[in-house]
Amino acid sequence: MGRKTIVLILLLATTFGFGQSPFAVRGFCIAAPSKDKVNDFVKFIENELAPGGINTLVLRVDYNYAYESRPELRDENPLSKEDVKKLLAVSRKHNINLIPQVNLLGHQSWHSDLSKLLEAYPDFDETPKVKLPEKYEWPNADRLYCKSYCPLHPKVHDVVFDIVDEIMEVFEANAFHAGMDEVFYLAHPDCPRCQGKDPAMLFAGEVNKISDHLQSSGKELWIWGDRLIDGTDSGIGMWEGSYNNTASAVGMISKSVVICDWHYEKAIPTPAYFAMNGLQVIACPWRRPNVAEEQVEMMNSFKQNSTPEMAGKYLGVMHTVWSSADSFMENYYSEKPDEASAGVVNTLKAMIAATQKIKN
């Protein structure tokens, strides 16, 4: 075999993707950086994520953006349009799909603080009689984890879709992550609109309303998958699964919705459950390197042992970080990261290494 032939084979392999990871999504999900750390995060994308083969970056923006349509929803010292364009430029340079996230439905408070949405629009609150304590503890008598907005409030989507449309435009994004995890307050007996209604139908209705809005402009909806798994029947509990009867929504939501299926202590094989329900799915680790490695192996096995119709639903894996981007970068480069952060950092590295080992 001559040198020219070898060069041609290598060129064809590169062109047609031979030897690359079989995963369409090799993702990383983290809070958007603070305004002061945008340039550092650009370098992190350039020097760590891109060389590691990460091709999808979900940034949890929430209210850390200077919204023009709804300035009352801005956090203090938010990201500007220019900041976002820096992140977009480096992502595009390395063929990384940049996806913004704003938590919808649930996670409208945290501990003793309301989100900007309920702070500005208190009438959207699903549970206005549940007051945030000065000192938050779990468990508590109100079963308060995070508040939700009422999905049936007649004005909530006017506000929500304003910021969804604006953040999608500035990110020039083809997909939007709506969160929708850990929704404990839904169909609450104190809500004059939701009380007595089927929680699964309410949850599915909200997913489909958001999905339809995005689909009207050719965009895709991503959500976390925990509310679509029965926490009792599966035995995985109230965090990774639902105890408030939302699980049957899995058969009611649009098949265009992408499910981010998070399990942090074990590589639970629920991606197969979502795929069997006609949904595309991504397995998501957090702080245990061995779980990330097992999820990569599991998703690859599902793809290799499925029909072509099913194999395409297993999109890949996405590491999740639940600290700030600023502190994650600090620990990533520290010689002595704190113990909790070391696990998260090493899980990202383990996931990247595992994806690079498997080939088409």
Side-chain angles (χ1 to χ4, degrees):
M1 185 180 294
R3 182 178 177 182
K4 289 184 178 179
T5 304
I6 294 173
V7 170
L8 179 60
I9 290 172
L10 291 174
L11 179 61
L12 288 171
T14 302
T15 302
F16 293 102
F18 301 150
Q20 295 179 354
S21 169
F23 293 154
V25 172
R26 302 179 298 283
F28 183 62
C29 174
I30 194 169
S34 67
K35 189 174 183 65
D36 294 339
K37 296 293 183 180
V38 168
N39 290 336
D40 290 342
F41 196 73
V42 167
K43 293 177 183 176
F44 182 73
I45 295 171
E46 183 91 48
N47 298 330
E48 308 298 341
L49 298 185
I54 295 297
N55 67 2
T56 304
L57 175 57
V58 174
L59 284 186
R60 300 196 311 276
V61 179
D62 293 316
Y63 305 106
N64 181 23
Y65 179 69
Y67 292 104
E68 295 177 6
S69 60
R70 298 285 176 172
E72 69 274 17
L73 299 182
R74 297 176 181 179
D75 279 341
E76 186 177 349
N77 198 28
L79 299 178
S80 66
K81 185 178 293 187
E82 291 72 24
D83 294 325
V84 171
K85 295 306 180 185
K86 288 180 182 179
L87 298 169
L88 181 59
V90 69
S91 297
R92 283 189 166 170
K93 174 183 175 182
H94 296 288
N95 297 313
I96 295 173
N97 186 21
L98 187 58
I99 299 174
Q101 177 184 323
V102 177
N103 272 314
L104 299 185
L105 192 56
H107 279 280
Q108 300 304 319
S109 70
W110 184 246
H111 287 188
S112 298
D113 297 316
L114 286 175
S115 73
K116 283 290 182 178
L117 183 69
L118 295 190
E119 185 180 285
Y121 300 96
D123 54 320
F124 292 171
D125 193 340
E126 172 84 358
T127 54
K129 294 180 181 179
V130 176
K131 304 303 178 184
L132 297 179
E134 291 185 11
K135 182 180 179 182
Y136 177 84
E137 293 181 349
W138 177 268
N140 56 71
D142 289 321
R143 288 183 53 80
L144 169 66
Y145 177 55
C146 295
K147 279 180 170 279
S148 307
Y149 65 69
C150 172
L152 298 185
H153 193 287
K155 296 182 179 179
V156 68
H157 295 101
D158 293 340
V159 176
V160 165
F161 288 162
D162 277 350
I163 62 173
V164 169
D165 292 346
E166 184 173 350
I167 206 68
M168 289 293 285
E169 181 178 358
V170 72
F171 272 79
E172 302 177 38
N174 58 19
F176 172 79
H177 202 306
M180 303 192 72
D181 59 318
E182 299 171 336
V183 178
F184 290 0
Y185 283 154
L186 193 62
H188 195 275
D190 289 343
C191 179
R193 295 167 295 271
C194 291
Q195 60 178 328
K197 297 190 181 299
D198 180 355
M201 293 189 69
L202 284 173
F203 189 85
E206 183 65 4
V207 172
N208 289 334
K209 192 174 189 71
I210 299 165
S211 179
D212 289 348
H213 180 79
L214 292 165
Q215 287 278 314
S216 67
S217 57
K219 313 301 183 185
E220 190 173 62
L221 174 62
W222 292 27
I223 65 171
W224 304 113
D226 53 281
R227 296 305 92 189
L228 302 174
I229 304 170
D230 189 298
T232 303
D233 289 347
S234 66
I236 61 177
M238 65 186 299
W239 303 98
E240 296 173 56
S242 170
Y243 273 18
N244 60 340
N245 300 314
T246 59
S248 59
V250 72
M252 306 177 194
I253 66 173
S254 169
K255 303 306 181 188
S256 67
V257 176
V258 175
I259 304 300
C260 301
D261 185 28
W262 62 272
H263 297 292
Y264 296 153
E265 308 305 315
K266 293 181 179 180
I268 298 174
T270 44
Y273 161 77
F274 287 114
M276 288 295 291
N277 276 281
L279 296 161
Q280 296 179 99
V281 60
I282 301 162
C284 302
W286 172 33
R287 61 182 180 180
R288 295 186 181 275
N290 66 301
V291 173
E293 292 164 347
E294 289 165 5
Q295 286 174 324
V296 170
E297 182 179 352
M298 174 182 69
M299 291 295 278
N300 187 47
S301 178
F302 283 155
K303 287 184 71 69
Q304 298 300 324
N305 293 289
S306 294
T307 63
E309 293 80 3
M310 288 288 290
K313 299 187 186 307
Y314 300 109
L315 295 184
V317 290
M318 180 171 71
H319 183 247
T320 61
V321 175
W322 299 105
S323 62
S324 70
D326 302 9
S327 65
F328 179 80
M329 288 189 292
E330 181 180 348
N331 280 285
Y332 189 94
Y333 291 115
S334 172
E335 292 183 2
K336 293 183 179 180
D338 64 74
E339 184 177 351
S341 297
V344 180
V345 167
N346 290 332
T347 301
L348 172 61
K349 293 177 179 179
M351 187 196 81
I352 287 173
T355 58
Q356 290 175 335
K357 287 179 182 177
I358 58 173
K359 306 296 180 183
N360 276 323

Coordinates of all heavy atoms in Angstrom, one line a residue, residues 61-133:
V61 N -28.6 29.7 32.5 CA -28.6 31.1 32.5 C -29.6 31.7 33.6 O -29.3 32.6 34.4 CB -29.0 31.7 31.2 CG1 -29.0 33.2 31.2 CG2 -28.0 31.2 30.1
D62 N -30.8 31.1 33.6 CA -31.9 31.6 34.4 C -32.0 33.1 34.3 O -32.3 33.6 33.2 CB -31.7 31.1 35.9 CG -31.9 29.6 36.0 OD1 -32.8 29.1 35.4 OD2 -31.0 29.0 36.6
Y63 N -31.7 33.9 35.4 CA -31.9 35.3 35.3 C -30.6 36.1 35.3 O -30.5 37.3 35.5 CB -32.8 35.8 36.5 CG -34.1 35.0 36.5 CD1 -34.4 34.0 37.4 CD2 -35.0 35.2 35.5 CE1 -35.5 33.2 37.3 CE2 -36.2 34.5 35.4 CZ -36.4 33.5 36.3 OH -37.6 32.7 36.2
N64 N -29.5 35.3 35.0 CA -28.2 35.9 34.9 C -28.0 36.5 33.4 O -27.0 36.1 32.8 CB -27.1 34.9 35.2 CG -25.7 35.5 35.2 OD1 -25.5 36.7 35.3 ND2 -24.7 34.6 35.0
Y65 N -28.9 37.2 33.0 CA -28.8 37.9 31.7 C -29.6 39.2 31.7 O -30.6 39.3 32.4 CB -29.4 37.0 30.5 CG -29.3 37.7 29.2 CD1 -28.0 37.9 28.6 CD2 -30.4 38.2 28.6 CE1 -27.9 38.6 27.4 CE2 -30.3 38.9 27.4 CZ -29.0 39.1 26.8 OH -28.9 39.7 25.6
A66 N -29.1 40.2 31.0 CA -29.7 41.5 31.0 C -30.9 41.6 30.1 O -30.8 42.2 29.0 CB -28.6 42.6 30.7
Y67 N -31.9 40.9 30.5 CA -33.1 40.9 29.6 C -33.6 42.3 29.3 O -33.8 43.1 30.2 CB -34.2 40.1 30.3 CG -33.9 38.6 30.4 CD1 -33.6 38.1 31.7 CD2 -34.0 37.7 29.3 CE1 -33.3 36.7 31.8 CE2 -33.7 36.4 29.5 CZ -33.3 35.9 30.7 OH -33.0 34.6 30.9
E68 N -33.9 42.5 28.0 CA -34.5 43.8 27.6 C -36.0 43.7 27.6 O -36.7 44.7 27.8 CB -33.9 44.1 26.2 CG -32.4 44.4 26.2 CD -31.9 44.7 24.8 OE1 -32.7 44.8 23.8 OE2 -30.7 44.8 24.6
S69 N -36.5 42.5 27.2 CA -38.0 42.4 27.2 C -38.6 42.4 28.6 O -39.7 42.9 28.8 CB -38.3 41.1 26.5 OG -37.8 39.9 27.2
R70 N -37.9 41.9 29.6 CA -38.3 41.9 30.9 C -37.2 42.3 31.9 O -36.6 41.4 32.6 CB -38.8 40.5 31.3 CG -40.0 40.0 30.5 CD -41.3 40.6 30.9 NE -42.4 40.3 30.0 CZ -43.7 40.6 30.2 NH1 -44.0 41.3 31.3 NH2 -44.6 40.2 29.4
P71 N -36.8 43.5 31.9 CA -35.7 44.0 32.8 C -35.9 43.7 34.3 O -34.9 43.6 35.0 CB -35.6 45.5 32.5 CG -36.9 45.9 31.9 CD -37.4 44.7 31.2
E72 N -37.2 43.6 34.7 CA -37.5 43.3 36.1 C -37.0 41.9 36.5 O -36.9 41.6 37.7 CB -39.0 43.4 36.4 CG -39.8 42.3 35.7 CD -40.3 42.7 34.3 OE1 -39.6 43.5 33.7 OE2 -41.2 42.1 33.8
L73 N -36.6 41.0 35.5 CA -36.2 39.7 35.8 C -34.6 39.5 35.7 O -34.1 38.4 35.8 CB -36.8 38.7 34.8 CG -38.3 38.6 34.9 CD1 -38.9 37.6 33.9 CD2 -38.8 38.3 36.3
R74 N -33.9 40.6 35.7 CA -32.5 40.6 35.7 C -31.9 40.3 37.1 O -32.3 41.0 38.0 CB -31.9 41.9 35.2 CG -32.2 42.3 33.7 CD -31.6 43.6 33.4 NE -32.0 44.1 32.1 CZ -31.6 45.2 31.6 NH1 -30.9 46.1 32.3 NH2 -31.9 45.6 30.3
D75 N -30.9 39.4 37.2 CA -30.1 39.4 38.4 C -29.2 40.6 38.5 O -29.0 41.3 37.5 CB -29.2 38.1 38.4 CG -30.0 36.9 38.8 OD1 -31.0 37.0 39.5 OD2 -29.5 35.7 38.5
E76 N -28.6 40.8 39.6 CA -27.6 41.8 39.8 C -26.4 41.5 39.0 O -25.9 40.4 39.0 CB -27.3 42.0 41.3 CG -26.4 43.1 41.6 CD -26.1 43.3 43.1 OE1 -26.8 42.6 43.9 OE2 -25.2 44.0 43.4
N77 N -25.9 42.5 38.3 CA -24.7 42.4 37.4 C -24.8 41.2 36.5 O -23.9 40.3 36.4 CB -23.4 42.2 38.3 CG -22.2 42.5 37.6 OD1 -22.2 43.3 36.6 ND2 -21.1 41.9 38.0
P78 N -25.8 41.2 35.6 CA -26.0 40.0 34.7 C -25.1 40.1 33.5 O -24.5 41.1 33.2 CB -27.5 40.2 34.3 CG -27.7 41.7 34.3 CD -26.8 42.2 35.4
L79 N -25.1 38.9 32.8 CA -24.4 38.9 31.5 C -25.0 39.8 30.5 O -26.2 40.0 30.4 CB -24.4 37.5 31.0 CG -23.7 36.4 31.8 CD1 -23.9 35.0 31.1 CD2 -22.2 36.7 32.1
S80 N -24.2 40.4 29.7 CA -24.6 41.3 28.6 C -24.7 40.5 27.3 O -24.2 39.3 27.2 CB -23.7 42.4 28.4 OG -22.4 42.0 27.9
K81 N -25.3 41.1 26.3 CA -25.3 40.4 24.9 C -23.9 40.2 24.5 O -23.6 39.1 23.9 CB -26.0 41.3 24.0 CG -26.2 40.7 22.6 CD -27.0 41.6 21.7 CE -28.4 41.8 22.1 NZ -29.3 42.6 21.1
E82 N -23.0 41.1 24.7 CA -21.6 41.0 24.3 C -20.9 39.8 25.0 O -20.1 39.1 24.4 CB -20.8 42.3 24.6 CG -21.2 43.5 23.7 CD -22.5 44.0 24.1 OE1 -23.0 43.9 25.2 OE2 -23.2 44.7 23.2
D83 N -21.2 39.6 26.3 CA -20.7 38.4 27.0 C -21.1 37.1 26.4 O -20.3 36.2 26.2 CB -21.1 38.5 28.5 CG -20.6 39.6 29.3 OD1 -19.4 40.0 29.0 OD2 -21.3 40.1 30.1
V84 N -22.4 37.0 26.0 CA -22.9 35.8 25.4 C -22.3 35.6 24.1 O -22.0 34.4 23.7 CB -24.5 35.9 25.3 CG1 -25.0 34.7 24.4 CG2 -25.1 35.9 26.7
K85 N -22.1 36.6 23.3 CA -21.5 36.5 22.0 C -20.0 35.9 22.1 O -19.6 35.2 21.2 CB -21.5 37.8 21.2 CG -22.9 38.3 20.9 CD -23.7 37.2 20.1 CE -25.1 37.7 19.8 NZ -26.0 36.7 19.2
K86 N -19.3 36.3 23.1 CA -18.0 35.7 23.4 C -18.1 34.2 23.5 O -17.3 33.4 23.0 CB -17.3 36.3 24.6 CG -16.9 37.8 24.4 CD -16.2 38.2 25.7 CE -15.8 39.7 25.7 NZ -15.2 40.2 26.9
L87 N -19.1 33.8 24.3 CA -19.3 32.3 24.6 C -19.7 31.6 23.3 O -19.3 30.5 23.0 CB -20.3 32.2 25.7 CG -19.9 32.7 27.1 CD1 -21.1 32.7 28.0 CD2 -18.8 32.0 27.7
L88 N -20.5 32.3 22.6 CA -21.0 31.7 21.3 C -19.9 31.6 20.3 O -19.8 30.6 19.6 CB -22.2 32.6 20.7 CG -22.8 32.1 19.4 CD1 -23.4 30.7 19.6 CD2 -23.9 33.1 19.0
A89 N -19.0 32.6 20.2 CA -18.0 32.6 19.2 C -17.0 31.4 19.5 O -16.6 30.7 18.5 CB -17.2 33.9 19.3
V90 N -16.6 31.2 20.7 CA -15.6 30.1 21.0 C -16.3 28.8 20.8 O -15.7 27.8 20.4 CB -15.0 30.3 22.4 CG1 -16.0 30.0 23.5 CG2 -13.8 29.3 22.6
S91 N -17.6 28.7 21.2 CA -18.3 27.4 21.0 C -18.4 27.1 19.5 O -18.2 25.9 19.1 CB -19.7 27.5 21.6 OG -19.7 27.7 23.0
R92 N -18.8 28.0 18.7 CA -18.9 27.8 17.3 C -17.5 27.4 16.6 O -17.4 26.6 15.7 CB -19.5 29.0 16.6 CG -21.0 29.1 16.8 CD -21.6 30.2 15.9 NE -23.0 30.0 15.9 CZ -23.9 30.9 15.4 NH1 -23.4 32.1 14.8 NH2 -25.2 30.7 15.4
K93 N -16.5 28.1 17.1 CA -15.1 27.8 16.6 C -14.8 26.3 16.8 O -14.2 25.7 15.9 CB -14.1 28.6 17.4 CG -12.7 28.3 17.1 CD -11.8 29.2 18.0 CE -10.3 28.8 17.7 NZ -9.4 29.6 18.6
H94 N -15.3 25.7 17.8 CA -15.0 24.3 18.1 C -16.2 23.4 17.9 O -16.2 22.2 18.4 CB -14.5 24.1 19.6 CG -13.2 24.9 19.8 ND1 -12.0 24.4 19.3 CD2 -12.9 26.0 20.4 CE1 -11.1 25.2 19.6 NE2 -11.6 26.2 20.3
N95 N -17.2 23.8 17.1 CA -18.4 23.0 16.8 C -19.1 22.5 18.0 O -19.5 21.3 18.1 CB -18.0 21.9 15.9 CG -17.4 22.3 14.5 OD1 -18.0 23.2 13.9 ND2 -16.3 21.8 14.1
I96 N -19.2 23.3 19.0 CA -19.9 23.0 20.3 C -21.3 23.7 20.2 O -21.4 24.9 20.0 CB -19.2 23.5 21.5 CG1 -17.8 22.8 21.7 CG2 -20.0 23.3 22.8 CD1 -16.9 23.3 22.8
N97 N -22.3 22.9 20.4 CA -23.7 23.4 20.3 C -24.0 24.0 21.7 O -24.0 23.3 22.7 CB -24.7 22.2 20.1 CG -26.1 22.6 19.9 OD1 -26.4 23.8 19.6 ND2 -27.0 21.7 20.1
L98 N -24.3 25.3 21.7 CA -24.5 26.1 22.9 C -26.0 26.2 23.2 O -26.7 26.7 22.4 CB -23.9 27.4 22.8 CG -23.8 28.3 24.1 CD1 -23.1 27.6 25.2 CD2 -23.2 29.7 23.8
I99 N -26.5 25.6 24.3 CA -27.9 25.6 24.6 C -28.1 26.3 26.0 O -27.6 25.9 27.0 CB -28.4 24.1 24.8 CG1 -28.1 23.4 23.4 CG2 -29.8 24.0 25.2 CD1 -28.4 21.9 23.5
P100 N -29.0 27.3 26.0 CA -29.3 28.0 27.2 C -30.4 27.3 28.0 O -31.3 26.6 27.5 CB -29.8 29.4 26.8 CG -30.5 29.1 25.4 CD -29.7 28.0 24.8
Q101 N -30.3 27.4 29.3 CA -31.4 26.9 30.2 C -31.9 28.0 31.1 O -31.2 28.8 31.7 CB -30.8 25.8 31.1 CG -31.9 25.2 32.1 CD -31.4 24.2 33.1 OE1 -30.6 23.4 32.7 NE2 -32.0 24.3 34.3
V102 N -33.2 28.0 31.2 CA -33.9 28.8 32.2 C -34.9 27.8 32.9 O -35.7 27.2 32.2 CB -34.7 30.0 31.6 CG1 -35.5 30.7 32.6 CG2 -33.8 30.9 30.8
N103 N -34.9 27.7 34.2 CA -35.7 26.8 34.9 C -37.2 27.3 34.7 O -37.6 28.4 35.1 CB -35.4 26.8 36.4 CG -34.4 25.8 36.7 OD1 -34.4 24.6 36.2 ND2 -33.4 26.1 37.5
L104 N -38.0 26.4 34.2 CA -39.4 26.7 34.1 C -40.2 25.7 35.0 O -39.8 24.6 35.3 CB -39.9 26.6 32.6 CG -39.2 27.5 31.7 CD1 -39.8 27.4 30.3 CD2 -39.3 29.0 32.2
L105 N -41.4 26.1 35.3 CA -42.3 25.4 36.2 C -41.8 25.3 37.6 O -42.2 26.1 38.5 CB -42.7 24.0 35.6 CG -43.9 23.3 36.4 CD1 -45.1 24.2 36.3 CD2 -44.2 21.9 35.8
G106 N -40.9 24.4 37.9 CA -40.3 24.2 39.2 C -39.1 25.1 39.4 O -38.7 25.9 38.5
H107 N -38.4 24.9 40.6 CA -37.2 25.7 40.9 C -37.4 27.2 40.8 O -36.5 27.9 40.3 CB -36.0 25.2 40.1 CG -35.4 23.9 40.6 ND1 -34.6 23.9 41.7 CD2 -35.6 22.6 40.3 CE1 -34.2 22.7 42.0 NE2 -34.8 21.9 41.1
Q108 N -38.6 27.6 41.3 CA -38.8 29.1 41.3 C -38.5 29.7 42.7 O -38.9 30.8 43.0 CB -40.3 29.3 40.9 CG -40.6 28.9 39.6 CD -39.7 29.4 38.5 OE1 -39.4 30.6 38.5 NE2 -39.4 28.6 37.5
S109 N -37.8 28.9 43.5 CA -37.2 29.5 44.8 C -36.1 28.5 45.1 O -35.9 27.5 44.6 CB -38.3 29.5 45.9 OG -38.6 28.2 46.3
W110 N -35.3 29.0 46.1 CA -34.2 28.2 46.6 C -33.9 28.6 48.0 O -33.7 29.7 48.3 CB -32.9 28.4 45.7 CG -31.8 27.5 46.1 CD1 -30.6 27.9 46.7 CD2 -31.8 26.1 46.1 NE1 -29.8 26.8 47.0 CE2 -30.5 25.6 46.6 CE3 -32.7 25.1 45.6 CZ2 -30.2 24.3 46.7 CZ3 -32.3 23.8 45.7 CH2 -31.1 23.4 46.2
H111 N -34.1 27.5 48.9 CA -34.0 27.8 50.3 C -34.9 28.9 50.7 O -36.1 28.7 50.6 CB -32.5 28.1 50.7 CG -31.7 26.8 50.7 ND1 -30.4 26.8 51.1 CD2 -31.9 25.6 50.2 CE1 -29.9 25.6 50.9 NE2 -30.8 24.8 50.4
S112 N -34.5 30.0 51.1 CA -35.4 31.1 51.6 C -35.5 32.3 50.6 O -35.9 33.4 51.0 CB -34.9 31.6 53.0 OG -34.9 30.5 53.9
D113 N -35.1 32.0 49.4 CA -35.1 33.1 48.4 C -36.0 32.7 47.2 O -35.9 31.6 46.7 CB -33.7 33.4 47.9 CG -32.7 33.8 49.0 OD1 -33.2 34.7 49.8 OD2 -31.6 33.3 49.0
L114 N -36.8 33.7 46.8 CA -37.7 33.5 45.6 C -36.8 33.7 44.4 O -35.9 34.5 44.4 CB -38.8 34.5 45.6 CG -40.0 34.2 46.6 CD1 -41.0 35.4 46.5 CD2 -40.7 32.9 46.3
S115 N -37.2 33.1 43.3 CA -36.6 33.4 42.0 C -37.1 34.8 41.6 O -38.1 35.4 42.1 CB -37.0 32.4 41.0 OG -38.4 32.6 40.6
K116 N -36.5 35.4 40.6 CA -36.9 36.7 40.1 C -38.3 36.6 39.5 O -39.0 37.6 39.6 CB -35.9 37.1 39.0 CG -34.6 37.6 39.5 CD -34.8 39.0 40.2 CE -33.4 39.5 40.6 NZ -33.6 40.9 41.3
L117 N -38.7 35.5 39.0 CA -40.1 35.4 38.4 C -41.1 35.6 39.5 O -42.0 36.5 39.3 CB -40.3 34.1 37.7 CG -41.6 33.9 37.0 CD1 -41.7 34.8 35.8 CD2 -41.8 32.5 36.6
L118 N -41.0 34.9 40.6 CA -42.1 35.0 41.6 C -41.9 36.3 42.4 O -42.8 36.8 43.0 CB -42.1 33.8 42.5 CG -42.4 32.4 41.8 CD1 -42.6 31.4 42.9 CD2 -43.7 32.6 41.0
E119 N -40.7 36.8 42.5 CA -40.4 38.0 43.1 C -41.1 39.2 42.4 O -41.8 40.0 43.0 CB -38.9 38.3 43.2 CG -38.5 39.5 44.0 CD -37.0 39.7 44.0 OE1 -36.3 38.9 44.7 OE2 -36.5 40.6 43.2
A120 N -41.0 39.1 41.1 CA -41.7 40.2 40.3 C -43.2 39.9 40.0 O -43.9 40.9 39.9 CB -41.0 40.3 38.9
Y121 N -43.6 38.7 40.0 CA -45.0 38.3 39.7 C -45.5 37.3 40.8 O -45.6 36.1 40.5 CB -45.1 37.7 38.3 CG -44.6 38.6 37.2 CD1 -43.3 38.6 36.7 CD2 -45.5 39.6 36.7 CE1 -42.9 39.4 35.7 CE2 -45.1 40.5 35.7 CZ -43.8 40.4 35.2 OH -43.4 41.2 34.2
P122 N -45.7 37.8 42.0 CA -46.1 36.9 43.1 C -47.4 36.1 42.8 O -47.6 35.0 43.4 CB -46.2 37.8 44.3 CG -46.3 39.2 43.7 CD -45.6 39.2 42.5
D123 N -48.3 36.7 41.9 CA -49.5 36.0 41.6 C -49.3 34.8 40.8 O -50.3 34.0 40.6 CB -50.5 36.9 41.0 CG -49.9 37.6 39.7 OD1 -48.7 38.0 39.7 OD2 -50.7 37.7 38.7
F124 N -48.1 34.5 40.2 CA -47.9 33.3 39.5 C -47.6 32.1 40.4 O -47.5 31.0 40.0 CB -46.6 33.5 38.6 CG -46.8 34.4 37.4 CD1 -45.7 34.8 36.7 CD2 -48.1 35.0 37.1 CE1 -45.9 35.7 35.6 CE2 -48.2 35.8 36.1 CZ -47.1 36.2 35.3
D125 N -47.4 32.3 41.7 CA -47.0 31.3 42.7 C -48.1 30.3 42.8 O -49.3 30.6 43.1 CB -46.8 32.0 44.0 CG -46.1 31.1 45.0 OD1 -46.1 29.9 44.8 OD2 -45.5 31.6 46.0
E126 N -47.7 29.0 42.6 CA -48.7 27.9 42.8 C -49.1 27.7 44.2 O -50.2 27.3 44.5 CB -48.0 26.6 42.3 CG -48.7 25.3 42.6 CD -49.8 24.9 41.6 OE1 -49.9 25.7 40.6 OE2 -50.4 23.8 41.8
T127 N -48.3 28.1 45.2 CA -48.5 27.9 46.6 C -48.3 29.2 47.4 O -47.3 29.3 48.2 CB -47.7 26.8 47.2 OG1 -46.3 27.1 46.9 CG2 -48.0 25.5 46.6
P128 N -49.1 30.3 47.2 CA -48.8 31.6 47.8 C -48.9 31.5 49.3 O -48.3 32.3 50.0 CB -49.9 32.5 47.2 CG -51.0 31.6 46.7 CD -50.3 30.3 46.3
K129 N -49.7 30.5 49.9 CA -49.8 30.4 51.3 C -48.6 29.8 52.0 O -48.5 29.9 53.2 CB -51.1 29.6 51.6 CG -52.4 30.3 51.2 CD -53.6 29.5 51.6 CE -54.9 30.1 51.2 NZ -56.1 29.3 51.5
V130 N -47.8 29.1 51.2 CA -46.5 28.5 51.7 C -45.5 29.6 51.8 O -45.0 30.1 50.7 CB -46.1 27.3 50.9 CG1 -44.8 26.8 51.4 CG2 -47.1 26.2 50.9
K131 N -45.1 30.0 53.0 CA -44.1 31.1 53.1 C -42.7 30.5 53.2 O -42.5 29.5 53.8 CB -44.4 31.9 54.4 CG -45.8 32.5 54.4 CD -46.1 33.4 53.1 CE -47.5 33.9 53.1 NZ -47.8 34.7 51.8
L132 N -41.7 31.2 52.7 CA -40.4 30.8 52.8 C -39.8 31.1 54.2 O -40.0 32.2 54.7 CB -39.5 31.6 51.7 CG -39.9 31.3 50.3 CD1 -38.9 32.1 49.4 CD2 -39.7 29.8 49.9
P133 N -39.2 30.1 54.8 CA -38.7 30.3 56.2 C -37.5 31.1 56.2 O -36.7 31.1 55.2 CB -38.5 28.9 56.6 CG -38.1 28.1 55.4 CD -39.0 28.7 54.3

